[in-house]
Amino acid sequence: MIVIKIGGGEGIDPRRTAEEIAALWREGQRFVIVHGGSHVTNELSEQLGHPAQFITSPSGHTSRRTDPQTLDIFMMAYCGVVNNRFVEALQAAGVNAVGLSGVDGGLLRGKRKAAIRAVENGRTRVIRDDYTGTVEEVNASLLATLLDQGYLPVVTPPALSYEGEAINVDGDRAAACIAVALKAEQLIFLSNVPGLLRDVTDPESLISDIARHRLEEFDSFAEGRMKKKLLGAQEALDGGVGRVVIGDARGEEAIHGALNGKGTVIG
Ligand code: ADP
């Protein structure tokens, strides 16, 4: 079992991987796909006159401000556009893909944050109408049922809170949670960079191998969203996943490349 997370950053079109996924699927490889949708969400937010806002927590983490209107736009982008279009491309490539958000069948469940703290101009503000949280539980039997029946699950945030609300969750950590729940051998993160870079501005500065017990030492190279990927990698490895690869979604044969160790291999 392999879990493949395809990012939603600028420059990535998950549909470009559809033919490659179809070939792997025909070979009999079992896997689950997870994807993001941040860039489409940003664009749609702009078009709908409710531009994206990002907040910084006191610990320095950046996240999307998800008020109720943003949550609607988030669902339009992740489920309505990216997930449906991706499933469409997979169907066209001959794979019987099924799109699911974490809400469907209670696939991804977690805690909604009661209140979040945002630092603005040196002052901390408490926000209570934010719909974000973290995935803690995966309905693995739903995924197993689909796979057993020959369907390829294509999973997207949002997740479901324990109170039954849709919540914006980090896709990388959700993918890690799914990989642990399915006892996957590998977790592949495909993004818009070649892997973890020593210098984010230099694509040649790839860190190609990291021993699992040394992952923390590399955290200082990661900025912003890359920190979440390393956290997801750590959670997956701690949960028993054999190896994690952070690779590039943009080139040809992106998935084969990552499976063959192109990118940052952590294991
Ligand atoms: P995706 O949506 O594709 O999962 P993210 O946007 O979450 O991807 O994370 C990838 C981004 O992380 C890159 O576009 C890059 O700007 C940023 N990043 C920060 N630090 C690093 C680093 N050391 N190496 C590579 N990318 C980094």
Side-chain angles (χ1 to χ4, degrees):
M1 173 64 62
I2 302 171
V3 173
I4 303 169
K5 155 82 192 339
I6 303 176
E10 193 165 8
I12 304 178
D13 184 347
R15 291 178 288 185
R16 289 195 55 198
T17 61
E19 290 293 342
E20 222 193 330
I21 290 170
L24 265 181
W25 189 249
R26 279 193 290 271
E27 286 167 19
Q29 179 65 59
R30 272 167 62 107
F31 50 90
V32 167
I33 309 265
V34 182
H35 67 77
S38 55
H39 185 59
V40 173
T41 304
N42 294 346
E43 285 188 331
L44 201 54
S45 302
E46 195 70 47
Q47 286 162 10
L48 293 174
H50 191 67
Q53 281 178 31
F54 293 89
I55 49 184
T56 306
S57 72
S59 59
H61 286 279
T62 306
S63 60
R64 181 184 299 278
R65 164 81 171 105
T66 311
D67 59 12
Q69 199 181 341
T70 302
L71 186 63
D72 277 349
I73 298 169
F74 180 93
M75 291 194 278
M76 288 178 213
Y78 278 71
C79 309
V81 179
V82 183
N83 191 269
N84 267 318
R85 285 292 190 200
F86 197 6
V87 170
E88 175 192 38
L90 289 165
Q91 288 286 348
V95 179
N96 209 354
V98 172
L100 297 155
S101 85
V103 171
D104 294 303
L107 178 58
L108 305 173
R109 281 189 194 266
K111 222 180 267 154
R112 177 181 163 203
K113 290 179 188 135
I116 53 168
R117 282 170 209 286
V119 182
E120 277 166 25
N121 308 322
R123 290 187 53 192
T124 303
R125 187 163 70 94
V126 176
I127 302 172
R128 293 190 192 280
D129 68 339
D130 206 69
Y131 287 81
T132 51
T134 309
V135 175
E136 295 174 335
E137 292 174 11
V138 175
N139 181 351
S141 79
L142 173 57
L143 296 175
T145 304
L146 288 168
L147 288 163
D148 287 347
Q149 297 296 318
Y151 295 103
L152 169 60
V154 180
V155 180
T156 180
L160 197 59
S161 76
Y162 296 121
E163 285 73 38
E165 305 145 315
I167 47 173
N168 174 4
V169 292
D170 179 61
D172 294 329
R173 294 180 71 194
C177 221
I178 293 171
V180 171
L182 296 180
K183 302 186 172 29
E185 296 97 54
Q186 286 198 61
L187 169 62
I188 309 281
F189 289 128
L190 294 177
S191 183
N192 60 359
V193 279
L196 178 65
L197 304 171
R198 277 183 192 279
D199 170 1
V200 65
T201 61
D202 176 8
E204 302 292 316
S205 66
L206 178 70
I207 298 166
S208 51
D209 281 287
I210 302 177
R212 58 171 60 213
H213 61 276
R214 295 192 52 199
L215 186 52
E216 251 177 54
E217 294 168 36
F218 290 82
D219 199 52
S220 56
F221 294 112
E223 291 161 34
R225 296 263 317 122
M226 184 51 72
K227 279 192 185 298
K228 287 273 170 67
K229 263 184 232 305
L230 296 189
L231 185 57
Q234 187 73 63
E235 288 168 343
L237 294 165
D238 290 348
V241 175
R243 79 171 193 169
V244 179
V245 183
I246 303 174
D248 202 328
R250 297 165 303 173
E252 296 301 316
E253 304 270 293
I255 294 171
H256 282 92
L259 290 173
N260 291 326
K262 192 173 166 204
T264 302
V265 179
I266 312 158

